[in-house]
C-alpha cells in the first residue's frame, strides 16, 4: 500500500470522531481510517430517542454529512469487526478476512451495555438506543402512549428517558445498584434522588431485585418483568441502562496491559508504544489517586480523543479531565448531572 | 420524472454469472411491468476472468438513457468491483460477500472502499450458496435473491424467470437456483435497510395493439426486417452487428426467406444489390470497417437506382478501432462514402424502438425511392436492452415499388424515365417486354451508357432530388423537438443514441430553470433542413453532442445551414455522460458574453 | 464448316438467321469491340444457345463486371446488370436467390474474375450457385489498354510489365475443378460452333457451370494468345475422357501448352437455391409447391 503514515482508529464514537478530526488537522498527509462494526457514520446517539418524536430519517442523526469525510480524506470502514490485533506485524485482523495495517493505533471502541446476571438469558427481549436500528425497532414496538420500562437507569438512560417522556410515553424505572452510574450515590441519598426523578415524571418502582424478564401473554403488553417477591410489572418495551463495560475482547493477546479497561498513562498511551486508547474503553493513571480510573461523560471523552490524537502525532500533552462528577438536584427539584453536557 | 427510477449494477468476473443474474433481473422487472433499459459490459476476450458489469435501470416511466450513477451495486468479485464503487450514489447500497474464502491484504475487500455516503450490506454469499445448493456456483442468484428480498420485489416473478431460463437443463439445476434465490431473498427481506432506494408499484402495461417486450437494438432491427417482409439477407460477421445475422438465420427460413453468410462484406452488399435489382426486399448489416468496404457497391446501388437496406452499427474507430466500444464516427462514411455524388437515405434511430421502426421503414423507403438506405446505429444501441412497444401486426407496408403501366408498349420501356416525382416505374426481371440493363456508368433514360453533359446533369438531379420525398415518408418521425417551445437559451441538436443522454440533460437543465430544448434528427440524409433552421431560429446557442472526435454531425449541420454550433465531442468508447452535457448547457446558458461560438 | 467449296450466300444466311429467332436476343446496340475480337463469337454462341434452349428473354439476366466483356449486357435484349469490377458472381448470387426462375449468365474477363474477383469465385462454385459463368480469357486488360493480367504468360511485355512479366499465370481450370464447380468446360472463340454448343451445355446444366473461353485480344496482344498461336495449340479433349473423373480432369487442365477444349468435369449435386429451400423446410417455413422436396432436379 502507500508509504504514508497510517493512523487507524477502532471505534466511531465521540472519542474516535474527535481523534480523526484532530489527526487530520495536525497531519494533512497521513491516511486516517476509522474502523467500526456499525453501518452508519458517526451519529449522535443521545438524540436517538427523537425517533419517537417522528424523526425517523437517520440522516438527521449524523453529526457530519458524508462530504465531511470525503473532504478530509478520512476512510470509515463500516461493518468491520476487529477480531484481534497483532502488535508485531502491526495489523488488525477483521472478521471478514481482511488485514489492515497500522502505524499508529487508537482504540476508542467505547463500552458495551453491562447486563446484570439475571437478565443475560433474556437479553433478546431487551430493546436499546445503542444504534439507529435498535431505536427504530423500539419505536415500532412502542405503541402510542405505551410504557418503557428502564432497568437500572444510568445517566445515559435517564437522559434519554427525558426525551421519551416528552414524546408522550410512560417511563417506569426499576432501580438497582447501577442507578445513576457513573455517579456514586450513597444509600442514604438515594431516596432524594429517586424523588427528584419522580418529580420529573418518571415512575419509580421500588420492588427489590428482578428475577426474570419474559414475553407477555397473548392480549397482554409485550413484556413482563417478574420480581423476586413474585410481583410483576408489565410494559411494552424494556431497556437496560446499567452502565458500560469496555469493549476490548479483541485486544486480548495484543500484549498490552488490561485491568477492567485498557491501561494507559496520562498521555493515553498503552504499554505498546504505537497503541493509544481513549474514551470509555480505557483506564487512565491518576497520580492523585495512585491508581487507574475511568472518566466518563461526553466532554471528557471528546477531550481524550483530542489528547490521544495530539500525542499520536508527536505531542506530549496530558489529559485534563473534568472532575466535577457530582449528581445534583436543581432549583426545580430535578436531577441534573455534568454528564448531560453535550455541545 | 419517474416515480420508480432505480439502476442496479452487478459486477463480477466472467465466470461469476454476472450477466446471467442481470438477465434474470431485467426479464423479471420487464415482465412485472416496469420499463427497463439495460446495458452490459462484456470482457473483450473470449476466455479468461475478464470483468463483466450488468447494469439495469428500472423505471415506471419511459426513460432514454442509463444513469451515470447506480442506486445499488452488487459485487460478485471485489477485485473487479472496487474500481466501480464510486458509481453508486450517496445513500445507495453496496452489497458484497462478508466472508471471503481467504485472508485478503489491506484493500482487497470492498468494504474498505465504500464511500462515506454509501450503505454497505455484507452477507456471506458464498456460504449461503453452499448451504442452499452444495456449490458456490449460485452466488450470483443468492445475491439477486437478497436484492429482491431487500426491496420487496415479488419472489414468484423471479422464480418464474429462473425456471424459464433453465428449462432446457436438468430439473435439479432449476431447483438449486431457486433454492439459492430463496435463501438470499429470506435474508434480504429480514435486513434492516438504511439506504434510500425504493420501488413503487409497477405501471399498467397495456398498450393498444402492442406487446411490451424487452429487446436489444440488434434484436429490434432483426424484428423490423422480419416484419417488413425481408426476402434475402447476405452478411458477414463483424462486431457488433453479427447477432443481427444470427437472429435472422434462425427466423428468416421460418418465413420462407433466404439468408446466406458470404465470404466478405463486398460480396454481402453485392448480393444484396443483386437481389434488390431482382425485386427482393434485401438487407445486410455491418459495422464501420465493413461499410468502408461496401462503399463502392453502395455507389452502384445509387447510380443504378436499386433498393437495398444496409444496417450499420458503429463502433470505436478508426480502422479496426475498438470493436467492443461504442462511438458515432461513421456518419461521414454513411452519408458520403463512395465515389462521386452518391447521395442515399440515411436513418439514425435514437433508441431501441427506433431501431425496429427505422429498420422496417428502410425497406419501404428503399423500395419507394429506389435507392440504398443506411440505418445507422451504434454498439450501445445494438447491445442495450429496453422495453419496447412491439406492434402485434406489422406496421410496415409491402409492395411500394412503382410498377410499370400495363399498357406500356413492348420495346418502349425506359427504366430511368424522368417523371414528376423523379422516381421511374420499375420493371423486374421476369416481366415480359420490359427488358433493360442497369449499369454503374452514367446513363440516359433508357439505361444506355452516356457521358453527355446534359444527361449527367439531368440524372444527377434525378438521383438527388427524388430523395427529398423521403422527408415526408409516412409514419416515421424523422425529426422531433422536445422540451421548451419557442425561444430557448440552449438547444441540443442530437442524433443517434446520444439523444437519450441529451434528453435527460435537457430535463435536468429545465429543472434548474434553464430554457432548454432538444431536437433529435433521425433522417441524416436528406437532412430536414427547414426544421433544423427553424430550431436554430429559436435557440440562442446550439450544442451538438456526439461521440466522435471531429464533430461529424456538427460538420454536416454547419455545412448545410451555414450556422455555427457548439460542439461536445467525446471519444471515451462509452455512452456520453448526462452530467457532461448538463455542464455544457449550464455554461452556454450563462450570459452571452461568455459563450462565443466555436 | 463453310469454305470455298461450300459457299454460303449472305441473303440466304440472313434469312436463316432471322427465321431462327435468335436475333430477338440482340438489342439495337451494336457491339463496340474491336473487329476480330473473340467476343463476337461468344455473342453469337450465347444467343443461339438461348434460342436453342427456348429460354424466354424476360427470364434471362446477364450480369457483367468491368472490362471489354462487361459491355455485353447492353448488346442483349434481356435483363442485364453491369456491375463493378470483380463482383459479378456475388451480384449474380443475389439476383438468382431473389428469383430462382431466372437464368443468370455471369460474364467477365480474366482480370475481372481472377484478379479483383478471385475471392468470390470459389464460394460461388462451392455453393453450386445455379448460374453460368462465361469467362473470357485473353490474358490481358484490354479496356484499360493493355496491362498484364493473372493469366498473362511469363515473358509477356505490356505497359505495366515493360521488362517482361515474370509471374506464373494462374490455371483457372484447375482452380475451378478444385473449388468444386459442378460443370467445368473450355472453349475457344476460334471455334465458334463448338463454343455455341458448349455455352448451351453450360446453361443447360443445373448448378454452377464454368466455361473458360480462350479469346484473343487482337489489339493489344500480338504475341502470345493470338489466333495464330492458339489455332495450333488447342486440341480436343481425348474422346475417352470421363467427365466424372475429377483427377483426370485436373491432369488435363494442368497441360497449358496444349489447351484442350470440351467438357472437363460434370457432377450433379444440390444447388444453392435448392439447399436454401431445404433449410426453409427444416425450419418449417412456407415453400411454393414447385420447390418442395419432390421436385425434379434434372435439366430443364
Amino acid at each position: 500500500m502507500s508509504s504514508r503514515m497510517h493512523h487507524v482508529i477502532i471505534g466511531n464514537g465521540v472519542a474516535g470522531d474527535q481523534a480523526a478530526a484532530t489527526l487530520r488537522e495536525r497531519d494533512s498527509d497521513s491516511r486516517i481510517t476509522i474502523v467500526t462494526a456499525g453501518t452508519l457514520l458517526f451519529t449522535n446517539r443521545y438524540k436517538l430517542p427523537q425517533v419517537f418524536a417522528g424523526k425517523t430519517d437517520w440522516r438527521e442523526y449524523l453529526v457530519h454529512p458524508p462530504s465531511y469525510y470525503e473532504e478530509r480524506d478520512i476512510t470509515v470502514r463500516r461493518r468491520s469487526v476487529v477480531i484481534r490485533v497483532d502488535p508485531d506485524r502491526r495489523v488488525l485482523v477483521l472478521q471478514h478476512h481482511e488485514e489492515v495495517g497500522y502505524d499508529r493505533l487508537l482504540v476508542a471502541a467505547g463500552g458495551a451495555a453491562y447486563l446484570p446476571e439475571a437478565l443475560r438469558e433474556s437479553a433478546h427481549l431487551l430493546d436499546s438506543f445503542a444504534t439507529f436500528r435498535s431505536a427504530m425497532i423500539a419505536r415500532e414496538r412502542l405503541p402510542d402512549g405505551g410504557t418503557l420500562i428502564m432497568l437500572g437507569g444510568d445517566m445515559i438512560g435517564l437522559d434519554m428517558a427525558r426525551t421519551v417522556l416528552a414524546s408522550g410515553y410512560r417511563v417506569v424505572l426499576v432501580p438497582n445498584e447501577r442507578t445513576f452510574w457513573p455517579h456514586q450515590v450513597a444509600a442514604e441519598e438515594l431516596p432524594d434522588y429517586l424523588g427528584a426523578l419522580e418529580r420529573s415524571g418518571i415512575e419509580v418502582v421500588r420492588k427489590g431485585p428482578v428475577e426474570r424478564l419474559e414475553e407477555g401473554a397473548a392480549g397482554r403488553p409485550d413484556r413482563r418483568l417478574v420480581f423476586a417477591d413474585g410481583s410483576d410489572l408489565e410494559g411494552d418495551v424494556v431497556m437496560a441502562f446499567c452502565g458500560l463495560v469496555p469493549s476490548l475482547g479483541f485486544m486480548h493477546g495484543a500484549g498490552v496491559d488490561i485491568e477492567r479497561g485498557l491501561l494507559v498513562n496520562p498521555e493515553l498511551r498503552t504499554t505498546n508504544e504505537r497503541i493509544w486508547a481513549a474514551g470509555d474503553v480505557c483506564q487512565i493513571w491518576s497520580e492523585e489517586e495512585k491508581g487507574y480510573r475511568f472518566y466518563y461523560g461526553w466532554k471528557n471523552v471528546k477531550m481524550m480523543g483530542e489528547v490521544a490524537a495530539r500525542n499520536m502525532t508527536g505531542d506530549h500533552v496530558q489529559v485534563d479531565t473534568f472532575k466535577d462528577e457530582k449528581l445534583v438536584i436543581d432549583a426545580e427539584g430535578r436531577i441534573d448531572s455534568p454528564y448531560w453536557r453535550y455541545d | 420524472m419517474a416515480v420508480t427510477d432505480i439502476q442496479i449494477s452487478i459486477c463480477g468476473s466472467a465466470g461469476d454469472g454476472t450477466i446471467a443474474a442481470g438477465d434474470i433481473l431485467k426479464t423479471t422487472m420487464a415482465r412485472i411491468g416496469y420499463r427497463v433499459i439495460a446495458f452490459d459490459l462484456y470482457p473483450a476476450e473470449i476466455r479468461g476472468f475478464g470483468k463483466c458489469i450488468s447494469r439495469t435501470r428500472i423505471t415506471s416511466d419511459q426513460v432514454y438513457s442509463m444513469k451515470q450513477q447506480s442506486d445499488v451495486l452488487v459485487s460478485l468479485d471485489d477485485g473487479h468491483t472496487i474500481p466501480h464503487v464510486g458509481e453508486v450514489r450517496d445513500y445507495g447500497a453496496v452489497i458484497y460477500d462478508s466472508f471471503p474464502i481467504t485472508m485478503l491484504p489491506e484493500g482487497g475487500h470492498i468494504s474498505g472502499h465504500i464511500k462515506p455516503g454509501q450503505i454497505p450490506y455484507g452477507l456471506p454469499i458464498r456460504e449461503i450458496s453452499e448451504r442452499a445448493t452444495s456449490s458456490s456456483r449460485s452466488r450470483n442468484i443468492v445475491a439477486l435473491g437478497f436484492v429482491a428480498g431487500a426491496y420487496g420485489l415479488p419472489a414468484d416473478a423471479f422464480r418464474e424467470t429462473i425456471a424459464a431460463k433453465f428449462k432446457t437443463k436438468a430439473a435439479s439445476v432449476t431447483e438449486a437456483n431457486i433454492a439459492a434465490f430463496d435463501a438470499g431473498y429470506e435474508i434480504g427481506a429480514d435486513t434492516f435497510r438504511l439506504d434510500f432506494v425504493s420501488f413503487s408499484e409497477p405501471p399498467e402495461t397495456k398498450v393498444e395493439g402492442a406487446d411490451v417486450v424487452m429487446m436489444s437494438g440488434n434484436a429490434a432491427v432483426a424484428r423490423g426486417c422480419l416484419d417488413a417482409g425481408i426476402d434475402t439477407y447476405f452478411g458477414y460477421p463483424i462486431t457488433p452487428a453479427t447477432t443481427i445475422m444470427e437472429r435472422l438465420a434462425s427466423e428468416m427460413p421460418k418465413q420462407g426467406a433466404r439468408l446466406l453468410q458470404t465470404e466478405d462484406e463486398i460480396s454481402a452488399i453485392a448480393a444484396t444489390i443483386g437481389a434488390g435489382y431482382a425485386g427482393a426486399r434485401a438487407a445486410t448489416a455491418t459495422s464501420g470497417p465493413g461499410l468502408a468496404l461496401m462503399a463502392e457497391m453502395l455507389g452502384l446501388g445509387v447510380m443504378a437506382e436499386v433498393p437495398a437496406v444496409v444496417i450499420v452499427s458503429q463502433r470505436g474507430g478508426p480502422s479496426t478501432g475498438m470493436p467492443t466500444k461504442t462511438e458515432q464516427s461513421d456518419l461521414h462514411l454513411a452519408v458520403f462514402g463512395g465515389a462521386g455524388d452518391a447521395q442515399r437515405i440515411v436513418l439514425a434511430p435514437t433508441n431501441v424502438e427506433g431501431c425496429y421502426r427505422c429498420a422496417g421503414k428502410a425497406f419501404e423507403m428503399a423500395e419507394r425511392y429506389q435507392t440504398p438506405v443506411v440505418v445507422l446505429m451504434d454498439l450501445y444501441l445494438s447491445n442495450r436492452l429496453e422495453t419496447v412497444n412491439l406492434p402485434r401486426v406489422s406496421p410496415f407496408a409491402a409492395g411500394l415499388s412503382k410498377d410499370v403501366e400495363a399498357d406500356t408498349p413492348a420495346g418502349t420501356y425506359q427504366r430511368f424515365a424522368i417523371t414528376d416525382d423523379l422516381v421511374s416505374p420499375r420493371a423486374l426481371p421476369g416481366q415480359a417486354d420490359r427488358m433493360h440493363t442497369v449499369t454503374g456508368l452514367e446513363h440516359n433514360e433508357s439505361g444506355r451508357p452516356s457521358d453527355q453533359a446534359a444527361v449527367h446533369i439531368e440524372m444527377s438531379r434525378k438521383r438527388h432530388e427524388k430523395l427529398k420525398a423521403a422527408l415526408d415518408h409516412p409514419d416515421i418521425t424523422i425529426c422531433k423537438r422536445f422540451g421548451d417551445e419557442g425561444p430557448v437559451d440552449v438547444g441540443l441538436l442530437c442524433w443517434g443514441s446520444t439523444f437519450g443522454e441529451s434528453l435527460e440533460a435537457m430535463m435536468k437543465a429545465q429543472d434548474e430553470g434553464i430554457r432548454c430544448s432538444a431536437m433529435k434528427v433521425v433522417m441524416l440524409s436528406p437532412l430536414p433542413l427547414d426544421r433544423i433552421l427553424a430550431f436554430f431560429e429559436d435557440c440562442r446557442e446550439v450544442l451538438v453532442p456526439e461521440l466522435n472526435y471531429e464533430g461529424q454531425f456538427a460538420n454536416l449541420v454547419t455545412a448545410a445551414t451555414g450556422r455555427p454550433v457548439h460542439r461536445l465531442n467525446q471519444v471515451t468508447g462509452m455512452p456520453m455522460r448526462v452530467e457532461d452535457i448538463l455542464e455544457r448547457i449550464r455554461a452556454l446558458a450563462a450570459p452571452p458574453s461568455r459563450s462565443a461560438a466555436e | 464448316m463453310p469454305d470455298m467449296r461450300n459457299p454460303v450466300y449472305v441473303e440466304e444466311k440472313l434469312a436463316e438467321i432471322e427465321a431462327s429467332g435468335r436475333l430477338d436476343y440482340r438489342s439495337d446496340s451494336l457491339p463496340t469491340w474491336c473487329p476480330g475480337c473473340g467476343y463476337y463469337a461468344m455473342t453469337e454462341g450465347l444467343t443461339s444457345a438461348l434460342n436453342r434452349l427456348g429460354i424466354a428473354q424476360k427470364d434471362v439476366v446477364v450480369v457483367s463486371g468491368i472490362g471489354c466483356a462487361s459491355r455485353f449486357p447492353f448488346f442483349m435484349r434481356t435483363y442485364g446488370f453491369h456491375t463493378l469490377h470483380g463482383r459479378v458472381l456475388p451480384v449474380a448470387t443475389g439476383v438468382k436467390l431473389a428469383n430462382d426462375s431466372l437464368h443468370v449468365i455471369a460474364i467477365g474477363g480474366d482480370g475481372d474474375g481472377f484478379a479483383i474477383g478471385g475471392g468470390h469465385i470459389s464460394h460461388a462454385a462451392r455453393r453450386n450457385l445455379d448460374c453460368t459463368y462465361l469467362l473470357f480469357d485473353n490474358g490481358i486488360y484490354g479496356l484499360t489498354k493493355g496491362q498484364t493480367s493473372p493469366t498473362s504468360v511469363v515473358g509477356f511485355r505490356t505497359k505495366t510489365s515493360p521488362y517482361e512479366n515474370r509471374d506464373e499465370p494462374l490455371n483457372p481450370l484447375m482452380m475451378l475443378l478444385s473449388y468444386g464447380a459442378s460443370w467445368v468446360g473450355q472453349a475457344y472463340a476460334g471455334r465458334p460452333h463448338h463454343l455455341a454448343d458448349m455455352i448451351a451445355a453450360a446453361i443447360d446444366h443445373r448448378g454452377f457451370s464454368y466455361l473458360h473461353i480462350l479469346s484473343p485480344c487482337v489489339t493489344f496482344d500480338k504475341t502470345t494468345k493470338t489466333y495464330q498461336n492458339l489455332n495450333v495449340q488447342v486440341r480436343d479433349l481425348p474422346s475417352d475422357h470421363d467427365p466424372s473423373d475429377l483427377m483426370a480432369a485436373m491432369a488435363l487442365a494442368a497441360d497449358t501448352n496444349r489447351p484442350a477444349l470440351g467438357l472437363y468435369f460434370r457432377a450433379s449435386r444440390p444447388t444453392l437455391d435448392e439447399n436454401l429451400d431445404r433449410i426453409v423446410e427444416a425450419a418449417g417455413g412456407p415453400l411454393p409447391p414447385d420447390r418442395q422436396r419432390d421436385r425434379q432436379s434434372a435439366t430443364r
Side-chain angles (χ1 to χ4, degrees), chain B residues 365-378:
Chain B
M365 292 187 194
E367 202 164 83
R368 173 172 277 168
Y369 311 111
Q370 298 175 12
T371 178
V373 177
V374 176
V375 179
L376 189 61
M377 48 196 278
D378 56 48

Side-chain angles (χ1 to χ4, degrees), chain B residues 28 32 38 40 45 63 68 95 100 110 256 278 382 402 424 426 453 476 490 577 592:
Chain B
T28 306
I32 297 174
D40 294 347
E45 295 73 39
V63 291
Q68 214 166 291
I95 297 163
I110 197 172
S382 279
K402 186 189 275 198
S424 316
R426 180 170 159 236
I476 179 170
V490 179
R577 292 155 25 120

Side-chain angles (χ1 to χ4, degrees), chain B residues 3 37 64 81 101 112 152 176 216 246 269 310 332 349 352 421 575 581:
Chain B
V3 178
I37 177 170
Y64 305 94
T81 311
I101 284 185
S216 67
E246 290 173 352
I269 183 67
V310 182
H332 283 158
V352 170
D421 64 359
I581 302 174

Side-chain angles (χ1 to χ4, degrees), chain B residues 111-143:
Chain B
S111 64
H113 298 271
I114 294 178
K115 298 190 164 332
Q118 298 167 342
I119 309 300
Y121 293 109
L123 64 153
I125 300 175
R126 177 178 299 267
E127 251 186 27
I128 297 168
S129 173
E130 278 166 2
R131 218 181 315 130
T133 72
S134 316
S135 129
S136 65
R137 268 199 310 256
S138 298
R139 290 181 303 118
N140 59 337
I141 308 290
V142 169

Side-chain angles (χ1 to χ4, degrees), chain C:
Chain C
M1 192 81 163
D3 60 30
M4 290 313 295
R5 277 161 296 165
N6 301 309
V8 174
Y9 295 100
V10 173
E11 297 83 2
E12 284 172 18
K13 197 67 186 169
L14 275 178
E16 181 202 315
I17 289 172
E18 274 173 13
S20 74
R22 63 185 190 267
L23 284 182
D24 290 344
Y25 293 92
R26 295 290 300 274
S27 77
D28 294 333
S29 298
L30 292 179
T32 49
W33 300 312
C34 306
C37 175
Y39 295 0
Y40 288 102
M42 201 287 297
T43 312
E44 169 67 12
L46 179 58
T47 54
S48 70
L50 290 171
N51 191 37
R52 195 191 314 174
L53 293 168
I55 297 172
Q57 296 152 260
K58 70 177 179 66
D59 294 328
V60 177
V61 182
V62 179
V63 184
S64 65
I66 301 283
C68 289
S70 67
R71 294 298 175 126
F72 198 83
F74 298 106
F75 312 137
M76 299 287 287
R77 198 185 303 273
T78 58
Y79 285 93
F81 201 157
H82 176 216
T83 70
L84 301 176
H85 199 26
R87 314 300 172 195
V88 183
L89 289 176
V91 175
T93 304
V95 174
K96 180 70 181 182
L97 292 186
N99 180 352
D100 48 38
S101 67
L102 298 171
H103 294 265
V104 179
I105 317 285
I107 293 188
D110 44 286
D112 186 84
F114 288 95
I116 184 169
H120 299 305
I121 305 181
S122 59
H123 300 282
R126 73 185 180 92
R127 292 184 189 127
N128 207 20
L129 173 71
D130 180 21
C131 81
T132 304
Y133 189 22
L134 303 175
L135 193 295
F136 297 84
D137 181 8
N138 55 16
I140 199 165
Y141 284 83
L143 190 63
T144 42
K145 307 205 182 348
Q147 294 80 32
T148 329
S149 93
T151 55
S152 297
V153 302
V154 173
F156 191 34
R157 278 183 208 272
T158 69
K159 300 204 181 91
T160 51
S161 58
Y163 301 106
E164 290 185 7
N165 171 46
R166 287 141 203 268
D167 295 333
E168 283 295 321
L170 292 175
N171 186 325
L173 285 168
M174 289 183 81
M175 289 164 76
L176 266 296
L177 287 167
S178 71
Y179 289 161
S182 61
W183 193 102
V184 179
Q186 180 157 242
Y188 170 42
R191 298 229 193 130
H193 293 294
H194 178 252
L195 172 57
D197 290 341
M198 291 299 289
I199 290 174
I203 293 174
D204 202 39
H205 170 76
R206 185 149 173 76
F208 188 77
S209 317
Y210 178 76
L211 182 62
H212 192 90
I213 305 170
L214 299 167
S215 171
C217 175
V218 297
T219 306
F220 294 108
D221 178 9
K222 314 268 200 222
T223 58
T224 66
K225 298 188 186 197
T226 63
Y227 281 107
Q228 213 166 0
N229 290 345
L230 286 172
N231 282 340
V232 170
Q233 289 165 5
V234 300
R235 57 175 176 133
D236 289 323
L237 279 173
S239 53
D240 62 352
H241 170 65
D242 174 11
S244 65
D245 186 343
L246 181 64
M247 288 296 123
M250 279 279 200
L252 288 163
D255 184 358
T256 50
N257 291 325
R258 297 182 304 148
L261 308 180
L263 175 62
Y264 279 68
F265 181 77
R266 176 181 55 204
S268 177
R269 64 173 85 103
T271 61
L272 176 58
D273 53 278
E274 281 171 352
N275 282 333
L276 290 174
D277 285 345
R278 299 291 80 74
I279 287 174
V280 167
E281 281 175 348
L287 267 187
D290 62 317
R291 292 192 357 222
Q292 285 167 16
R293 183 178 289 280
D294 49 59
R295 166 174 66 151
Q296 300 290 351
S297 61
T299 54
R300 288 173 277 274

Side-chain angles (χ1 to χ4, degrees), chain A residues 144-299:
Chain A
D144 282 341
T147 301
L148 164 65
I149 300 175
M150 187 170 292
L151 302 174
D154 58 31
M155 296 319 296
I156 304 169
L158 292 176
D159 184 23
M160 295 183 171
R162 298 193 288 177
T163 312
V164 177
L165 273 177
S167 306
Y169 299 92
R170 184 179 160 230
V171 178
V172 179
L173 176 68
V174 178
N176 60 21
E177 68 283 0
R178 308 284 273 192
T179 307
F180 301 118
W181 179 94
H183 291 295
Q184 313 275 29
V185 174
E188 60 272 15
E189 295 176 303
L190 199 52
D192 293 334
Y193 288 110
L194 292 177
L197 285 181
E198 283 174 315
R199 275 192 293 283
S200 65
I202 298 175
E203 294 168 40
V204 178
V205 163
R206 297 167 177 74
K207 288 210 182 158
V210 170
E211 193 178 278
R212 65 177 187 282
L213 169 64
E214 19 176 82
E215 273 192 68
R220 305 298 308 164
D222 272 355
R223 297 287 180 264
R224 181 169 172 260
L225 213 53
V226 179
F227 297 92
D229 67 358
S231 62
D232 68 359
L233 173 65
E234 287 179 317
D236 301 292
V237 165
V238 180
M239 293 189 183
F241 286 96
C242 303
L244 302 174
V245 281
S247 301
L248 45 64
F250 56 89
M251 288 305 287
H252 292 301
V256 295
D257 286 358
I258 301 175
E259 202 186 86
R260 280 175 298 142
L262 288 177
L263 300 183
V264 295
N265 63 16
E267 290 184 10
L268 295 181
R269 218 202 64 202
T270 67
T271 49
N272 180 308
E273 63 182 10
R274 290 171 180 272
I275 303 181
W276 283 258
D280 300 337
V281 76
C282 63
Q283 283 171 275
I284 310 175
W285 175 258
S286 163
E287 197 55 52
E288 272 177 29
E289 301 173 27
K290 288 284 188 274
Y292 290 94
R293 56 155 294 170
F294 289 98
Y295 291 92
Y296 298 108
W298 188 89
K299 280 186 148 177

